[in-house]
């Protein structure tokens, strides 16, 4: 039996690179996984299919995370499907790259609407629904500690969720619920590939001289939601191969 047998997990942005790796990793540990997606139904359904093929349980659910009503429906449907909720992984995110002087209100609303507001709404909903001794993990970025030009909105939104998570960890500790952050460095995903970063230079920032794989991040998340991590909360795990 896996370390997460009979646990129920929601993974937002579960159809993407890091998200899909997290979904599959948690399922390997026995969790029943809700693969959330915003607009990539085919990708989400493919992840569900792979999990079921390997003997796991999973469903895909669509929701606009910047809308509180849709977030509520996501959690309600997850509970209806599996009868409870133990783990929330806030992985969904987006970015707009460019100088701050070129960022307009629409760019701000896009990035903060999903990364910050969406994460907050999910944490709020989870706080009211998680079983005792549950787990919340927010996926941030090493750019919060090691920022680069062109990422002002992305860095700001990720910094916001790290601090919101720290506060929530104080508010939920009496129920045994931990709230932590996993902060990847440069990782081989479509989003990173579109960022325009120099992949060779990024790899050289790590002592391992390579970019991260989505599975590297998923392994850290699996540890953070396990019982082995029950005494750690309000913490940011740097999962960047020494990037920070």
């Amino acid at each position: 039996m896996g370390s997460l047998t009979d646990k129920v997990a929601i993974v937002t942005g579960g159809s993407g690179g890091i998200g899909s790796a997290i979904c599959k990793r948690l399922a390997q540990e026995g969790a029943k996984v809700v693969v959330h997606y915003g607009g990539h139904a085919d990708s989400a359904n493919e992840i569900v299919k792979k999990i079921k093929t390997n003997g796991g349980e999973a469903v895909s659910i669509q929701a606009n995370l910047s809308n509180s009503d849709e977030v509520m429906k996501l959690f309600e449907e997850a509970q209806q499907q599996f009868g409870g909720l133990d783990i929330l992984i806030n992985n969904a995110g987006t970015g707009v790259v460019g100088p701050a002087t070129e960022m307009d209100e629409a760019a701000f609303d896009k990035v903060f609407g999903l990364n910050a507001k969406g994460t907050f709404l999910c944490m709020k909903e989870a706080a009211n629904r998680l079983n005792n001794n549950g787990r919340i993990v927010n996926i941030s970025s090493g750019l919060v500690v090691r920022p680069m030009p062109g990422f002002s909105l992305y860095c700001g939104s990720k910094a916001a969720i790290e601090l919101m998570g720290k506060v929530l960890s104080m508010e939920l500790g009496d129920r045994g619920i931990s709230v932590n952050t996993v902060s990847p460095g440069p990782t081989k995903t479509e989003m990173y590939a579109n960022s325009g970063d120099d992949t060779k230079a990024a790899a050289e920032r790590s002592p391992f001289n390579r970019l991260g794989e989505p599975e590297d991040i998923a392994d850290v998340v699996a540890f953070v939601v396990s019982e082995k991590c029950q005494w750690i909360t309000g913490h940011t795990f740097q999962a960047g191969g020494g990037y920070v």
Side-chain angles (χ1 to χ4, degrees):
M1 296 177 67
S3 63
L4 302 177
T5 298
D6 294 329
K7 300 295 185 181
V8 178
I10 293 177
V11 181
T12 69
S15 63
I18 291 176
S20 62
I22 293 172
C23 288
K24 289 182 282 188
R25 185 69 175 83
L26 299 186
Q28 288 174 4
E29 293 296 330
K32 302 172 183 178
V33 180
V34 175
V35 182
H36 159 265
Y37 67 96
H40 298 89
D42 291 344
S43 298
N45 291 333
E46 183 63 25
I47 300 304
V48 170
K49 181 180 178 181
K50 289 180 179 178
I51 289 173
K52 289 183 174 181
T53 298
N54 290 322
E57 295 185 59
V59 295
S60 62
I61 302 177
Q62 191 276 339
N64 174 3
L65 299 185
S66 64
N67 182 295
S68 59
D69 289 337
E70 293 200 27
V71 170
M72 183 181 298
K73 290 179 181 178
L74 166 65
F75 279 76
E76 288 177 348
E77 188 170 346
Q79 288 183 298
Q80 290 170 3
Q81 289 281 350
F82 293 128
L85 183 61
D86 304 282
I87 298 166
L88 168 65
I89 311 297
N90 280 312
N91 168 76
T94 190
V96 177
V97 181
T101 54
E102 296 179 5
M103 295 297 104
D104 57 15
E105 188 174 355
F108 182 94
D109 290 343
K110 176 183 177 180
V111 176
F112 273 78
L114 177 57
N115 296 4
K117 181 182 178 181
T119 296
F120 175 78
L121 292 176
C122 287
M123 286 196 292
K124 176 185 175 182
E125 201 65 33
N128 292 319
R129 295 175 183 269
L130 278 180
N131 293 325
N132 289 345
N133 302 311
R135 302 282 186 266
I136 297 175
V137 178
N138 297 324
I139 305 300
S140 182
S141 170
L143 287 170
V144 172
V145 179
R146 190 173 180 173
M148 295 176 60
F151 292 87
S152 57
L153 294 181
Y154 187 75
C155 290
S157 66
K158 292 298 187 178
I161 70 172
E162 289 194 17
L163 286 173
M164 288 191 290
K166 286 181 183 293
V167 173
L168 195 61
S169 73
M170 301 173 188
E171 298 176 352
L172 299 182
D174 60 350
R175 291 172 51 200
I177 297 173
S178 70
V179 185
N180 290 295
T181 298
V182 171
S183 184
T187 306
K188 291 181 182 178
T189 64
E190 181 179 351
M191 183 176 176
Y192 176 74
N194 293 332
S195 71
D197 195 16
D198 184 331
T199 56
K200 183 177 184 298
E204 291 174 349
R205 296 180 203 132
S206 166
F208 298 126
N209 198 35
R210 69 173 178 85
L211 297 180
E213 299 285 348
E215 290 74 18
D216 294 324
I217 313 306
D219 285 342
V220 178
V221 171
F223 165 70
V224 176
V225 300
S226 73
E227 290 186 1
K228 294 179 180 179
C229 199
Q230 63 183 341
W231 190 235
I232 301 176
T233 193
H235 183 69
T236 297
F237 292 83
Q238 294 296 337
Y243 171 76
V244 173

